[in-house]
Coordinates of all heavy atoms in Angstrom, one line a residue:
F265 N -1.1 27.3 -46.3 CA -0.9 27.8 -47.7 C -0.8 29.3 -47.7 O 0.0 29.9 -48.5 CB -1.9 27.3 -48.6 CG -1.7 25.9 -49.1 CD1 -2.4 24.8 -48.5 CD2 -0.7 25.5 -50.0 CE1 -2.1 23.5 -48.8 CE2 -0.4 24.2 -50.4 CZ -1.2 23.2 -49.8
F266 N -1.5 30.0 -46.9 CA -1.4 31.5 -46.8 C 0.1 31.9 -46.4 O 0.6 32.9 -46.9 CB -2.3 32.1 -45.7 CG -3.6 32.5 -46.1 CD1 -4.7 32.2 -45.3 CD2 -3.9 33.1 -47.3 CE1 -6.0 32.6 -45.7 CE2 -5.1 33.5 -47.7 CZ -6.2 33.2 -46.9
A267 N 0.7 31.1 -45.6 CA 2.0 31.4 -45.0 C 3.2 31.2 -46.0 O 4.3 31.6 -45.8 CB 2.3 30.6 -43.8
T268 N 2.9 30.5 -47.1 CA 4.0 30.2 -48.1 C 4.4 31.4 -48.9 O 3.6 32.3 -49.1 CB 3.6 29.1 -49.0 OG1 2.5 29.5 -49.9 CG2 3.2 27.8 -48.2
E269 N 5.6 31.4 -49.3 CA 6.1 32.5 -50.2 C 5.3 32.6 -51.5 O 5.2 33.7 -52.1 CB 7.6 32.3 -50.5 CG 8.5 32.4 -49.3 CD 8.4 33.8 -48.7 OE1 8.3 34.8 -49.4 OE2 8.5 33.8 -47.4
Q270 N 4.7 31.5 -51.9 CA 4.0 31.6 -53.2 C 2.6 32.2 -53.1 O 1.9 32.4 -54.1 CB 3.9 30.1 -53.8 CG 5.2 29.6 -54.2 CD 6.1 29.0 -53.1 OE1 5.6 28.9 -52.0 NE2 7.3 28.7 -53.4
S271 N 2.1 32.4 -51.9 CA 0.7 32.9 -51.7 C 0.8 34.4 -52.0 O 1.8 35.1 -52.0 CB 0.2 32.7 -50.3 OG 0.6 33.7 -49.4
N272 N -0.4 35.0 -52.3 CA -0.5 36.4 -52.6 C -0.7 37.3 -51.3 O -0.9 38.5 -51.4 CB -1.7 36.7 -53.6 CG -1.3 36.3 -55.0 OD1 -0.2 36.3 -55.3 ND2 -2.3 36.0 -55.7
A273 N -0.6 36.6 -50.2 CA -0.7 37.4 -48.9 C 0.4 38.3 -48.8 O 1.5 38.1 -49.3 CB -0.8 36.4 -47.7
S274 N 0.2 39.5 -48.1 CA 1.3 40.4 -47.9 C 2.4 39.8 -47.1 O 2.1 38.9 -46.3 CB 0.7 41.7 -47.2 OG 0.4 41.4 -45.9
Q275 N 3.6 40.3 -47.2 CA 4.7 39.7 -46.5 C 4.6 39.9 -45.0 O 4.9 39.0 -44.2 CB 6.1 40.3 -47.0 CG 7.3 39.6 -46.4 CD 7.3 38.2 -46.8 OE1 7.2 37.8 -48.0 NE2 7.5 37.3 -45.8
D276 N 4.0 41.0 -44.5 CA 3.8 41.1 -43.1 C 2.8 40.2 -42.5 O 2.9 39.7 -41.4 CB 3.5 42.6 -42.7 CG 2.1 43.0 -42.9 OD1 1.6 43.0 -44.0 OD2 1.4 43.3 -41.9
Y277 N 1.8 39.8 -43.4 CA 0.8 38.8 -43.0 C 1.5 37.4 -42.8 O 1.4 36.7 -41.8 CB -0.3 38.7 -44.0 CG -1.4 37.8 -43.8 CD1 -1.6 37.1 -42.6 CD2 -2.3 37.5 -44.8 CE1 -2.6 36.2 -42.4 CE2 -3.4 36.7 -44.6 CZ -3.5 36.0 -43.4 OH -4.6 35.1 -43.3
K278 N 2.3 37.1 -43.8 CA 3.0 35.8 -43.8 C 4.0 35.8 -42.6 O 4.0 34.8 -41.8 CB 3.9 35.6 -45.0 CG 3.0 35.5 -46.3 CD 4.0 35.4 -47.5 CE 3.2 35.6 -48.8 NZ 4.1 35.6 -50.0
D279 N 4.7 36.9 -42.3 CA 5.6 36.9 -41.2 C 4.8 36.8 -39.8 O 5.2 36.2 -38.9 CB 6.4 38.2 -41.2 CG 7.3 38.3 -42.3 OD1 7.7 37.3 -42.9 OD2 7.8 39.4 -42.7
K280 N 3.6 37.5 -39.8 CA 2.8 37.5 -38.6 C 2.4 36.0 -38.2 O 2.3 35.7 -37.0 CB 1.6 38.3 -38.8 CG 0.7 38.5 -37.6 CD 1.3 39.4 -36.7 CE 0.2 40.2 -36.0 NZ 0.8 41.1 -35.0
L281 N 2.1 35.2 -39.2 CA 1.7 33.8 -39.0 C 2.8 33.0 -38.3 O 2.5 31.9 -37.7 CB 1.3 33.1 -40.3 CG 0.0 33.7 -40.9 CD1 -0.2 33.1 -42.3 CD2 -1.2 33.3 -40.0
F282 N 4.1 33.5 -38.4 CA 5.2 32.7 -37.7 C 5.6 33.4 -36.4 O 6.7 33.0 -35.9 CB 6.4 32.6 -38.7 CG 6.1 31.6 -39.8 CD1 5.7 32.1 -41.0 CD2 6.4 30.3 -39.6 CE1 5.4 31.2 -42.1 CE2 6.1 29.4 -40.6 CZ 5.7 29.8 -41.9
T283 N 4.8 34.3 -35.9 CA 5.2 34.9 -34.6 C 4.4 34.3 -33.5 O 3.4 33.5 -33.7 CB 4.8 36.4 -34.6 OG1 3.4 36.6 -34.7 CG2 5.5 37.2 -35.8
S284 N 4.7 34.6 -32.3 CA 4.0 34.0 -31.1 C 2.6 34.6 -31.1 O 1.7 33.9 -30.5 CB 4.7 34.4 -29.8 OG 4.8 35.8 -29.7
D285 N 2.3 35.6 -31.8 CA 0.9 36.1 -31.9 C -0.1 35.1 -32.5 O -1.3 35.1 -32.2 CB 0.8 37.4 -32.7 CG 1.5 38.6 -32.1 OD1 1.8 38.6 -30.9 OD2 1.7 39.6 -32.9
A286 N 0.4 34.2 -33.3 CA -0.4 33.2 -34.0 C -1.0 32.2 -33.0 O -1.9 31.5 -33.4 CB 0.4 32.5 -35.1
K287 N -0.5 32.2 -31.8 CA -1.0 31.3 -30.8 C -2.4 31.8 -30.3 O -3.1 31.0 -29.7 CB 0.0 31.2 -29.5 CG 1.3 30.6 -29.8 CD 2.1 30.6 -28.6 CE 3.5 30.1 -28.8 NZ 4.4 30.2 -27.6
H288 N -2.7 33.0 -30.5 CA -3.9 33.6 -30.0 C -4.8 34.0 -31.1 O -4.7 35.1 -31.6 CB -3.5 34.9 -29.1 CG -2.4 34.6 -28.1 ND1 -2.6 33.8 -27.0 CD2 -1.1 34.9 -28.2 CE1 -1.5 33.7 -26.3 NE2 -0.5 34.3 -27.0
T289 N -5.8 33.2 -31.3 CA -6.8 33.4 -32.4 C -8.2 33.5 -31.7 O -8.4 33.1 -30.6 CB -6.8 32.3 -33.4 OG1 -7.2 31.1 -32.9 CG2 -5.5 32.2 -34.1
S290 N -9.1 34.2 -32.4 CA -10.4 34.3 -31.9 C -11.4 34.4 -33.1 O -11.0 34.8 -34.2 CB -10.6 35.4 -30.9 OG -10.4 36.6 -31.6
L291 N -12.6 34.1 -32.8 CA -13.7 34.3 -33.8 C -14.2 35.8 -33.8 O -14.4 36.3 -32.7 CB -14.8 33.4 -33.6 CG -14.5 31.9 -33.8 CD1 -15.7 31.0 -33.3 CD2 -14.2 31.6 -35.2

Side-chain angles (χ1 to χ4, degrees):
F265 282 100
F266 271 139
T268 65
E269 292 300 323
Q270 292 79 9
S271 84
N272 284 334
S274 67
Q275 189 60 50
D276 80 297
Y277 181 11
K278 294 174 194 180
D279 293 341
K280 184 77 145 175
L281 291 169
F282 287 96
T283 68
S284 61
D285 292 345
K287 293 178 186 177
H288 310 286
T289 64
S290 65
L291 294 171

